[in-house]
């Protein structure tokens, strides 16, 4: 998902090769189904693999990484439906749902609900139809009713329209430094304006955010290469670097030698 745009309500995706969209900031709630292949979701703490026929649901205002793996000689296929705040506000008013408490629910869950699986398969029939806002809204409402039938407590997640509250920067950044999102996103997720985030960050770490992020990622890379036997090609994306050449250049500048020399030892 793009870092700044809200996705189209229904998305169909297929790939013949392994596909990493890299870092993702979940701006909206979503529900998806793996039609073929496998997908791995990683919120920085937990990695979960979703297999063919399994549902996944991610919540908004969370950091996520994902990788899609096709079956042998096949395609990885998924179908997803998204719920922006406008449809959730409308649904809340129409059906009287309101969040009653802040639930400490993970960034993603794996619903096990036959009716939801059947519903997600039914969305494939709309792939060739011209987009209709009215029809899309009906399908979003149907999905929400099924989700709430599966787990009524999800109302405390879906209809929580509050902004992220101020949290401890040190704990948050040490847990999420490997996500390749901009500093503005980190500020938002810690409940601060950009200026307040930069000020508190400098006070906490003694470095500006971008400089600290680069150094923290490189130190983690050095540790993984020397202590864990990981390969260069295996870690640079996981640590938030956009490409291998950028990672290798930054690593050599920091330590005086390219990361490949550690891998060869």
């Amino acid at each position: 998902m793009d870092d700044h745009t809200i996705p189209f309500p229904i998305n169909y995706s297929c790939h013949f090769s392994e596909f990493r969209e890299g870092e993702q900031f979940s701006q909206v709630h979503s529900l998806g189904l793996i039609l073929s292949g496998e997908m791995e979701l990683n919120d920085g703490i937990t990695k979960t693999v979703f297999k063919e026929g399994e549902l996944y649901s991610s919540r908004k205002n969370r950091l996520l990484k994902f990788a899609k793996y096709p079956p042998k000689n096949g395609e990885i296929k998924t179908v997803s439906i998204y719920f922006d705040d406008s449809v959730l506000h409308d649904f809340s008013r129409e059906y009287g749902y309101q969040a009653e408490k802040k639930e400490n629910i993970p960034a993603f869950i794996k619903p096990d609900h036959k009716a939801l699986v059947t519903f997600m398969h039914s969305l494939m029939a709309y792939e060739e139809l011209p987009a209709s806002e009215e029809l899309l809204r009906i399908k979003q409402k149907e999905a929400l009713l099924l989700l709430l039938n599966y787990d009524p407590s999800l109302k405390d997640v879906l209809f929580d329209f509050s902004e992220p509250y101020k949290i401890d920067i040190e704990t948050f950044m040490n847990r999420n430094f490997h996500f390749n999102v901009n500093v503005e996103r980190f500020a938002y997720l810690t409940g601060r304006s950009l200026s307040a985030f930069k000020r508190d960050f400098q006070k906490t770490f003694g470095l500006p955010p971008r400089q600290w992020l680069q150094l923290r990622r490189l130190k983690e890379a050095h540790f993984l290469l020397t202590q864990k036997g990981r390969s260069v090609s295996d870690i640079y994306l996981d640590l938030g670097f956009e490409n291998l050449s950028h990672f290798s250049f930054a690593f050599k500048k920091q330590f005086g030698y390219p990361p490949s020399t550690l891998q060869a030892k």
Side-chain angles (χ1 to χ4, degrees):
M1 186 188 305
D2 183 85
D3 201 32
H4 297 285
T5 57
I6 301 297
F8 188 73
I10 298 176
N11 176 259
Y12 309 95
S13 173
C14 66
H15 299 276
F16 284 101
S17 58
E18 179 181 331
F19 180 70
R20 288 172 177 253
E21 277 195 23
E23 324 305 323
Q24 176 179 331
F25 171 70
S26 296
Q27 290 181 271
V28 294
H29 298 290
S30 67
L31 172 67
L33 173 69
I34 308 298
L35 298 169
S36 64
E38 297 182 352
M39 182 173 74
E40 180 185 88
L41 287 179
N42 177 4
D43 64 359
I45 300 174
T46 303
K47 287 184 180 181
T48 301
V49 174
F50 295 82
K51 300 181 179 181
E52 181 177 331
E54 292 186 328
L55 295 161
Y56 59 93
S57 181
S58 63
R59 60 181 303 184
K60 72 174 183 178
N61 291 341
R62 292 299 182 94
L63 295 168
L64 279 177
K65 296 183 181 185
F66 65 92
K68 296 180 179 181
Y69 305 102
K72 187 176 181 180
N73 300 321
E75 298 173 282
I76 165 72
K77 295 182 180 180
T78 63
V79 58
S80 308
I81 187 166
Y82 301 98
F83 311 104
D84 58 84
D85 278 357
S86 65
V87 73
L88 291 170
H89 276 295
D90 289 346
F91 188 95
S92 175
R93 285 190 291 266
E94 183 174 356
Y95 293 95
Y97 281 101
Q98 291 184 341
E100 297 175 358
K101 56 184 177 179
K102 277 191 174 290
E103 286 290 327
N104 187 26
I105 291 178
F108 57 86
I109 59 174
K110 184 186 285 190
D112 183 13
H113 194 52
K114 287 184 178 179
L116 271 172
V117 172
T118 301
F119 167 79
M120 294 302 292
H121 275 290
S122 76
L123 293 180
M124 300 303 295
Y126 297 88
E127 186 175 8
E128 303 300 328
L129 293 178
S132 163
E133 185 174 348
E134 185 178 2
L135 183 58
L136 289 171
R137 282 291 191 245
I138 290 171
K139 302 313 289 184
Q140 287 173 307
K141 286 168 60 175
E142 186 179 351
L144 288 168
L145 287 169
L146 287 168
L147 271 171
L148 291 163
N149 173 263
Y150 161 70
D151 184 355
S153 71
L154 287 175
K155 74 180 189 310
D156 294 322
V157 175
L158 293 167
F159 307 107
D160 177 9
F161 301 111
S162 62
E163 295 292 308
Y165 57 90
K166 191 173 183 178
I167 60 174
D168 179 66
I169 279 185
E170 185 172 10
T171 300
F172 180 85
M173 293 306 299
N174 277 316
R175 189 172 68 239
N176 296 295
F177 66 88
H178 53 282
F179 283 98
N180 184 21
V181 294
N182 59 39
V183 174
E184 287 81 3
R185 288 296 185 208
F186 284 128
Y188 175 75
L189 290 169
T190 59
R192 292 166 172 84
S193 67
L194 181 58
S195 58
F197 177 78
K198 288 180 176 179
R199 183 177 61 249
D200 291 351
F201 197 101
Q202 183 77 35
K203 188 185 301 182
T204 301
F205 294 106
L207 290 171
R210 288 184 178 85
Q211 187 177 340
W212 181 87
L213 281 165
Q214 174 116 320
L215 182 60
R216 180 68 178 84
R217 290 165 180 167
L218 289 171
K219 286 183 175 178
E220 183 69 11
H222 194 279
F223 169 77
L224 292 174
L225 290 169
T226 58
Q227 304 300 315
K228 297 297 182 179
R230 299 281 296 277
S231 69
V232 173
S233 59
D234 186 41
I235 67 171
Y236 76 93
L237 284 174
D238 287 345
L239 291 175
F241 290 92
E242 293 182 0
N243 56 65
L244 183 55
S245 61
H246 174 222
F247 167 64
S248 297
F249 176 82
F251 192 97
K252 184 175 181 179
K253 185 177 180 181
Q254 177 65 35
F255 297 110
Y257 44 84
S260 55
T261 60
L262 293 178
Q263 186 176 306
K265 291 179 180 180

